[in-house]
Amino acid sequence: MEYIIVGTAGHVDHGKTVLVKALTGVDTDRLKEEKERGISIELGFAPLRLPSGRLLGLVDVPGHERFIRQMLAGVGGMDLVMLVVAADEGVMPQTREHLAIIDLLQIKKGIIVITKIDLVDGEWLDLVQEDVRRSVQGTVLADAPIIPVSAVTGEGIPELLNKLDELAAVTPPRPARGGVRLPIDRVFSITGFGTVVTGTLWTGTIKVGDDLEILPQGIKTKARNLQVHGKNVREALAGQRVAVNLAGVDKEAVGRGSTLATPGLLPAARRIDATVKLLSGSRTIENRSRIRFYLGTAEILGRIILLDREEIKGGENALVQFLMEEPVVSLRGDRFVLRSYSPMETIGGGVVIDPDAPRHRRFDTNVLASLRKKLEGTPGEVLAQIIKEHRQGINLTEAAAAAAMTVDDARELLHGMAAEGLFVMLPCEHDLYIVDREIMDAWWRETERALTDFHRRYPLRPGLGKEELRSRCFSQIPARVFQPLLEQWSREGRIVFTAGTVALAGFKPALTPKQKELLEAIAAYYRTARWQPPDFKGAAANFKVQPSELEELLHYLVREGVLVKINEEFYWHREAFEEAVNVVRELGRTGPFGLAEVRDALGSSRKFILPFLEYLDRLKLTRRQGDKRIFIAN
């Protein structure tokens, strides 16, 4: 079943709450102060069964100007709206402000309900309807039906229910697939159960036991229990009013304005890129003006940074960046409302373009072009732009969230673009890492230069160490992405890599005749030296070569298994090393042994035997025990 939220809007004391009671039988004024004052202060909720059997969630919002924040917390989750105008008063200030908010949030399905018709005559009612029709011209409710009703006599109520049924049937439901997003509008605790939060489930499905996250606080929790319209359920679907009993959350840690979401789904950021439109007649807003930002159930203070002009006048559109005083939880495409800091008046609203934006230079043509593309482009163009802007690549989950689409939809689009050669998709820990082809080509050029230079400088080495290559060229990308990147280039025949080194495809260490002769001489020299080999300087002097050249030759012999590198100074011939290990093994059969015993058994000196024994310690063939050692290898 598809679920729809319908809400009221309109001036204070125009009969919204009484209308809700006439439609549902529920009095949504639940607070003592509301009863005493006869006005709604907080949001009210009630289930509404339509003639077709469809069940709607009905939200009753306050009409008084002092409670506009509460009104905004409710209107953001509406799919349908009833703009309520009292027949005895007509269009009033809060009627106009609520209408402006409905228009800014683009709630396109609605009904205009004229209440209290039992208090006026027919001629006056006709005048009020004409006034209402003029007032809604140019807004999303310009063509909305007008239905006169009396909650006292019941006149018009059946017609209103039928019209709601008709509109609900053609109203797109909220997406039940994808991640959970529930802006929290109420928090309370129940003895024996703990903290409960309520709100309209914007997207996704919550099941009992699901892992969830409270943002922007970043609190991890679970859905312990769920209720929809006061009844326990195993799952709640998008479009429903939901109460969620949370596990392990203190009531004081969360409040209205927080968001309950799938972990990792939504960013919480202080910088947001957006497009803004000021209402006609609104005051001029200058760069860095302080504003009140309303999205979902949240109200956040911040400053508006104008990216393409010095000021915005009433009726104008502009590209902006908001710098918030607290983190904001949003997605691309979210609509918001702006109010001036003081006095508090609704001045405009807009659409989120980038919910986690970097700092921009004002009047930067590249930035402005990018924002327009992300605002106006097709889903594929938006996704492509997001990936291009992530110079170090981005994983599929993050890209989908930034583009405000499901992972499955993003994957389908990306497979098509990857087939066209626009992007490279690297498998990475149960996700995909997406890299723009131009960035990938730039990475390859840098890698090719690094490997070419390494092969030129060290022609006898099999390749550059993997970790050294990563630190040189790829320190900014996640470590888990580096291996898939190398595998991609290996499949393309560009490189050959082993567990430890990376080389250009086709490269092989090549020895000159002189090097071959030197290698044979060095190997023979170390075989003869046995357990009293020369230090590095002595070997270089003996063979009359530069230290750098000798180092390459020694490394080559180590890789070939001819020599063993004991430390930076000493190398032993493999035969001598293995014979010495056997001597140590035999000494260890009778118990702990000291350096002097090994020295005497090999006919060497402390200068050579101490580094040898320390090397065995590092290999875990031996272990120190006081001033002795024991042999611990099998």
Side-chain angles (χ1 to χ4, degrees), residues 586-623:
E586 289 302 316
L587 287 172
R589 293 186 189 279
T590 60
F593 55 88
L595 183 150
E597 295 171 72
V598 179
R599 178 199 62 198
D600 294 345
L602 294 177
S604 185
S605 68
R606 178 183 178 86
K607 174 183 176 181
F608 303 107
I609 300 305
L610 180 58
F612 167 66
L613 290 176
E614 290 173 343
Y615 181 59
L616 295 188
D617 293 342
R618 293 197 298 274
L619 293 179
K620 300 190 183 305
L621 294 176
T622 57
R623 184 174 66 238

Side-chain angles (χ1 to χ4, degrees), residues 577-591:
F577 175 76
E578 291 178 351
E579 186 176 344
V581 171
N582 288 331
V583 168
V584 171
R585 181 182 288 109
E586 289 302 316
L587 287 172
R589 293 186 189 279
T590 60

Side-chain angles (χ1 to χ4, degrees), residues 323-557:
L323 178 57
M324 300 301 191
E325 296 178 16
E326 299 174 31
V328 175
V329 179
S330 65
L331 281 179
R332 175 187 167 271
D334 282 351
R335 291 189 171 273
F336 56 85
V337 172
L338 295 180
R339 305 194 85 209
S340 53
Y341 177 70
S342 181
M344 288 190 287
E345 299 172 343
T346 300
I347 57 174
V351 180
V352 173
I353 299 175
D354 188 339
D356 187 5
R359 183 175 181 175
H360 301 309
R361 292 197 310 272
R362 298 178 64 213
F363 304 103
D364 186 313
T365 55
N366 292 329
V367 168
L368 297 176
S370 169
L371 292 178
R372 292 189 183 100
K373 181 172 288 188
K374 286 190 284 188
L375 175 66
E376 302 165 359
T378 65
E381 289 170 340
V382 171
L383 194 58
Q385 186 65 29
I386 289 168
I387 294 168
K388 282 180 178 295
E389 290 177 2
H390 283 76
R391 308 296 293 176
Q392 303 303 325
I394 183 173
N395 68 48
L396 175 62
T397 302
E398 292 171 341
M405 60 179 64
T406 67
V407 170
D408 289 341
D409 288 345
R411 182 184 289 109
E412 185 176 345
L413 281 172
L414 284 168
H415 274 299
M417 289 187 280
E420 296 173 10
L422 300 177
F423 304 106
V424 177
M425 302 170 68
L426 305 173
C428 178
E429 292 184 3
H430 312 296
D431 203 346
L432 289 172
Y433 199 76
I434 320 300
V435 184
D436 180 76
R437 173 56 72 180
E438 291 183 2
I439 301 300
M440 191 78 166
D441 290 344
W443 285 359
W444 170 247
R445 289 191 294 270
E446 187 176 1
T447 300
E448 187 177 36
R449 281 194 297 270
L451 292 177
T452 299
D453 179 64
F454 185 83
H455 292 328
R456 179 184 57 78
R457 294 175 60 193
Y458 305 107
L460 298 184
R461 298 190 187 185
L464 178 60
K466 277 176 58 177
E467 287 307 307
E468 186 176 353
L469 176 63
R470 191 173 79 82
S471 64
R472 280 193 194 183
C473 304
F474 300 103
S475 60
Q476 300 303 311
I477 71 171
R480 68 183 187 281
V481 177
F482 186 53
Q483 181 74 13
L485 178 64
L486 295 181
E487 291 171 354
Q488 175 72 21
W489 283 334
S490 177
R491 287 192 296 272
E492 294 174 357
R494 301 187 186 204
I495 62 168
V496 175
F497 72 96
T498 62
T501 61
V502 182
L504 290 172
F507 171 78
K508 291 183 180 179
L511 296 169
T512 65
K514 180 182 177 181
Q515 287 173 329
K516 289 180 180 179
E517 183 179 333
L518 270 172
L519 287 172
E520 291 175 1
I522 291 169
Y525 182 68
Y526 276 93
R527 183 184 292 110
T528 301
R530 291 173 66 75
W531 303 305
Q532 300 187 72
D535 60 18
F536 187 80
K537 285 184 178 180
N542 183 76
F543 292 104
K544 299 179 182 179
V545 295
Q546 292 296 319
S548 59
E549 183 178 0
L550 176 63
E551 184 179 24
E552 286 303 297
L553 295 169
L554 292 175
H555 282 173
Y556 182 86
L557 289 172

